[in-house]
Amino acid sequence: MAAPPCPALQREQQRAADIIRLLTLYRPLLDAYVIDFFTEGLWAQLPPRWQAALATAAPPQLAGLLGGPGGPGAAWPLSLLAFAAATRALAFPRGHPGGSPRPPCQSTRLHPLLRRHVKPKKQHEIQRLGKLLQRLTQATGCDRVVDVGAGQGHLSRFLAFGLGLSVTAVEGDGRLAGMAERFDRELLRELGKTGVLGNEGPPRCHQTAPCHGPPSPLTPWGPRHVAGRLDPSAPWGEFLLPPNPPGPGPATRNPLGGPGGSEGGQRVLVTGLHACGDLSPALLRHFTRSPAVAAVASVACCYMKLSTPPENPGSSPGYPLSAWVAKLPGHELSYRAREAACHALEEYAGRLMGESGCLRAHCYRAVLETLIRAANPSKKRPGVQTVKKAHALSFPQYARLGLPRVGLDPAAISLDSEAVEAMLEQQHKVVAFFSLTLLLAPLVETLILLDRLLYLREQGFQCALVPLFDPQFSPRNLVLVAARIPLGAVLSGLDEDSSEDEDAGVAEPSGEKQSPLAPSARREPQ
């Protein structure tokens, strides 16, 4: 007799189906580009009652609609309130609703040498993800970590020097891998000044418990860096392709190609911090088919770079992964929808609350799009490189910088006509429309990550989604954790970590504080 369906699986399947139904209902809003606001008459496509309410709403009131603290109450239509409530109810919890009230700061939980070259946002991320990986090593008995998409090696450096783990850092850009090795050498030189030996010797013994006080002394053994790209279709022991672009040195032999799928046959933990596009799904596929991978912790980003059917016939797409989502009518996500999922809702809500001058940037670009198409109808949404500090410029100044970037002469176009002025006076409508599209962004991200969670559950793996970072500073803050063992002890330990005041350091231009673990994300490892 077949086993009864897992309750968590049923809830997640229902959530995916509900999200797709809601996205289908609001597909025109989901797929709209705000730069088409005037050229395609986007405002007129909204329900009349929505138009009337949004046209008079102040930016702080729009922030309240997005789930922020908001300003004085607005008289929203019931249908608009229901839409906003539905988006919030179906999206995964993202941690502290308001983020940290304190100014950004350096992480006092990281050794000073590990803060070098690392912005406070990244310090927050590597410290929090490092704790999670440390708990996974204790639960699995495996202290070998493979960091895929390692970049400049900041996470790998913390795991190796700071936590004493055996780390292999894999990076597809040979130049970044070379830079990571240079940073390692700098750190080793500083350690040498204190009398600590160089990066040689017997395997290290990793710390047995997460550090809750000041940072511990560093170990003298750093990560090993491998320049290579992950091949999602290859067996684990053969997963490397040559780097692109290549680094300064010769190509490195795959160090994970030994018996059993890893060097020497040992098991490994795999992680990817903001693994871009199809890299995150590739990590999950390698985990499911290689017993040598004991667990995986994946933080995704750049959803618009995901492959979708039928972009690459004959290859497995980055979305959808699960059989459940793939069979649901309307599950398809356009490039625009996946791009929207990368927006920072909390950051934009903050701009609305402060009525930031940056809010005019979308209106400027929408007016510029109108002028571009009038001058050359064949140019539709051309790439215009970001104009620095556009909000501090007048529109004519902005246009004179933007038009040449798409091959148009500003002198041949009227930049201060009555038509241009009439569009600029509708900035508040552009801001309101963009705010509506942002309400759908967390739903798209939830569907993409839910698809990955269902893919793992369908194959019987233990998995959970955890809001590990503070979304105020790290918008892509949801970490997908999967293992071949129960995850209850690992996730309950994160509750303890989240109760600490992590970053009570010196104020800096940008920084972070950890967010609490959402109850719904920590109670469903099945």
Side-chain angles (χ1 to χ4, degrees):
M1 184 175 179
C6 167
L9 177 62
Q10 290 180 318
R11 288 194 298 271
E12 289 154 359
Q13 289 175 335
Q14 186 60 54
R15 176 180 276 192
D18 291 343
I19 289 173
I20 289 172
R21 277 195 289 270
L22 187 62
L23 293 179
T24 301
L25 184 62
Y26 293 97
R27 183 75 63 180
L29 183 61
L30 177 66
D31 292 339
Y33 288 84
V34 72
I35 64 174
D36 294 335
F37 185 84
F38 299 110
T39 58
E40 298 187 6
L42 297 182
W43 185 256
Q45 297 176 22
L46 296 177
R49 291 186 178 180
W50 291 24
Q51 293 180 38
L54 292 167
T56 58
Q61 292 173 326
L62 293 173
L65 193 64
L66 292 181
W76 302 119
L78 288 178
S79 58
L80 180 53
L81 289 174
F83 165 63
T87 61
R88 287 193 287 270
L90 290 173
F92 276 129
R94 289 170 53 78
H96 240 331
S100 170
R102 295 182 294 118
C105 58
Q106 294 276 345
S107 173
T108 58
R109 301 292 181 178
L110 283 179
H111 192 284
L113 291 178
L114 293 173
R115 297 183 214 156
R116 288 189 177 182
H117 313 291
V118 187
K119 294 181 179 180
K121 170 182 178 292
K122 182 69 72 173
Q123 293 178 27
H124 168 68
E125 293 166 350
I126 65 177
Q127 201 271 343
R128 294 285 289 144
L129 184 56
K131 281 188 175 182
L132 170 60
L133 291 168
Q134 189 177 38
R135 290 191 177 279
L136 280 173
T137 66
Q138 296 159 13
T140 61
C142 171
D143 69 350
R144 303 178 66 85
V145 179
V146 179
D147 179 12
V148 180
Q152 299 177 43
H154 300 313
L155 173 63
S156 296
R157 203 167 296 114
F158 172 58
L159 296 176
F161 288 112
L163 299 182
L165 302 175
S166 174
V167 182
T168 299
V170 179
E171 171 51 46
D173 186 330
R175 295 170 300 186
L176 292 179
M179 188 178 298
E181 291 180 319
R182 177 169 65 84
F183 291 160
D184 288 355
R185 290 192 295 270
E186 287 181 8
L187 192 151
L188 285 168
R189 282 197 296 271
E190 293 300 320
L191 286 180
K193 294 177 183 178
T194 65
V196 179
L197 296 177
N199 187 21
E200 295 182 29
R204 79 292 309 271
C205 296
H206 65 282
Q207 297 177 15
T208 58
C211 172
H212 300 312
S216 301
L218 301 183
T219 73
W221 297 286
R224 291 171 296 172
H225 294 276
V226 177
R229 293 174 292 126
L230 186 139
D231 182 354
S233 62
W236 174 250
E238 305 167 9
F239 82 111
L240 281 186
L241 294 171
N244 182 27
T252 307
R253 181 182 64 85
N254 184 356
L256 305 175
S262 63
E263 186 178 24
Q266 298 96 337
R267 296 178 304 151
V268 296
L269 304 179
V270 176
T271 191
L273 176 54
H274 295 143
C276 185
D278 281 348
L279 184 55
S280 289
L283 295 182
L284 302 183
R285 286 193 171 102
H286 275 301
F287 166 72
T288 60
R289 65 173 178 246
S290 175
V293 183
V296 61
S298 168
V299 188
C301 72
C302 302
Y303 300 120
M304 66 283 195
K305 295 183 180 180
L306 285 170
S307 60
T308 58
E311 292 177 13
N312 298 307
S315 62
S316 300
Y319 171 87
L321 285 181
S322 69
W324 175 260
V325 170
K327 74 178 183 181
L328 291 175
H331 72 269
E332 297 83 3
L333 294 173
S334 66
Y335 178 91
R336 166 58 191 149
R338 288 178 277 127
E339 180 188 47
C342 299
H343 284 293
L345 185 147
E346 290 84 5
E347 178 184 346
Y348 196 75
R351 291 182 181 181
L352 290 169
M353 277 300 300
E355 301 190 58
S356 168
C358 297
L359 296 174
R360 66 172 58 98
H362 285 303
C363 185
Y364 275 10
R365 181 62 183 88
V367 176
L368 188 69
E369 182 72 11
T370 305
L371 299 180
I372 291 171
R373 293 199 201 179
N376 187 341
S378 67
K379 293 182 181 291
K380 185 176 182 179
R381 305 187 199 115
V384 179
Q385 294 178 349
T386 301
V387 176
K388 292 183 179 180
K389 298 183 178 180
H391 64 282
L393 305 175
S394 67
F395 177 74
Q397 291 173 323
Y398 168 84
R400 291 189 189 101
L401 293 173
L403 288 170
R405 300 180 183 186
V406 295
L408 296 176
D409 181 6
I413 299 174
S414 176
L415 304 179
D416 55 3
S417 66
E418 290 183 4
V420 168
E421 290 300 321
M423 287 186 286
L424 291 174
E425 289 175 0
Q426 298 183 61
Q427 174 187 316
H428 62 293
K429 293 182 179 180
V430 178
V431 170
F433 186 88
F434 185 69
S435 299
L436 286 183
T437 67
L438 279 187
L439 277 170
L440 292 169
L443 273 190
V444 178
E445 180 174 38
T446 294
L447 179 59
I448 292 171
L449 297 180
L450 191 55
D451 170 58
R452 298 174 185 181
L453 197 71
L454 289 169
Y455 167 75
L456 295 167
R457 289 214 194 278
E458 287 170 354
Q459 301 180 64
F461 291 106
Q462 313 287 323
C463 52
L465 268 165
V466 181
L468 195 64
F469 312 139
D470 188 329
Q472 189 75 14
F473 308 112
S474 184
R476 306 281 70 77
N477 74 325
L478 292 165
V479 182
L480 179 54
V481 188
R484 301 176 190 278
I485 60 167
L487 286 170
V490 174
L491 300 183
S492 63
L494 291 179
D495 278 337
E496 176 185 340
D497 294 340
S498 296
S499 67
E500 298 173 8
D501 186 13
E502 176 188 311
D503 290 320
V506 180
E508 291 290 337
S510 61
E512 51 289 305
K513 175 191 175 203
Q514 80 270 25
S515 60
L517 187 62
S520 62
R522 67 175 180 253
R523 298 300 179 208
E524 293 188 1
Q526 299 291 332

